[in-house]
Amino acid sequence: WNRWHGALGDGAWFALLQERVLTLGATGGGALEAVRSVALPEGAAPGWLATHLAREALLLDLPAPARLRVCAGALGALARCAEGVDCTLLGPG
């Protein structure tokens, strides 16, 4: 978060993917509002991530993110379930 929060841009949430655990940094008004973690389901259907993000936004009373900035070695497992989500891989680091 410390390294990447300045690169998120308006309407973007931060995500960290490690060992099939997705940790989301939900932002609102340019600030970190909440941190949530969820295990990435095996064989997640296309669109799972969009549905999950919408659900989290509702629970947090925040707008659904327009973009997801992902800090991970690769989008790998997220790519299959990210249909409808603008995911961008942040650089190494």
Side-chain angles (χ1 to χ4, degrees), residues 34-57:
V35 176
R36 306 276 237 195
S37 294
V38 64
L40 201 62
E42 286 289 333
W48 174 86
L49 184 58
T51 301
H52 182 72
L53 291 172
R55 178 182 176 274
E56 289 296 333

Side-chain angles (χ1 to χ4, degrees), residues 1-89:
W1 172 257
N2 288 338
R3 179 179 173 122
W4 296 113
H5 74 275
L8 296 182
D10 289 339
W13 285 12
F14 178 77
L16 174 65
L17 181 61
Q18 288 183 306
E19 298 181 19
R20 300 194 59 81
V21 174
L22 179 65
T23 301
L24 297 171
T27 61
L32 182 64
E33 295 287 334
V35 176
R36 306 276 237 195
S37 294
V38 64
L40 201 62
E42 286 289 333
W48 174 86
L49 184 58
T51 301
H52 182 72
L53 291 172
R55 178 182 176 274
E56 289 296 333
L58 283 172
L59 290 171
L60 296 168
D61 195 26
L62 292 170
R67 291 171 297 287
L68 190 64
R69 301 299 180 236
V70 182
C71 182
L75 290 175
L78 272 184
R80 291 188 305 276
C81 61
E83 183 177 288
V85 178
D86 176 11
C87 290
T88 301
L89 184 63

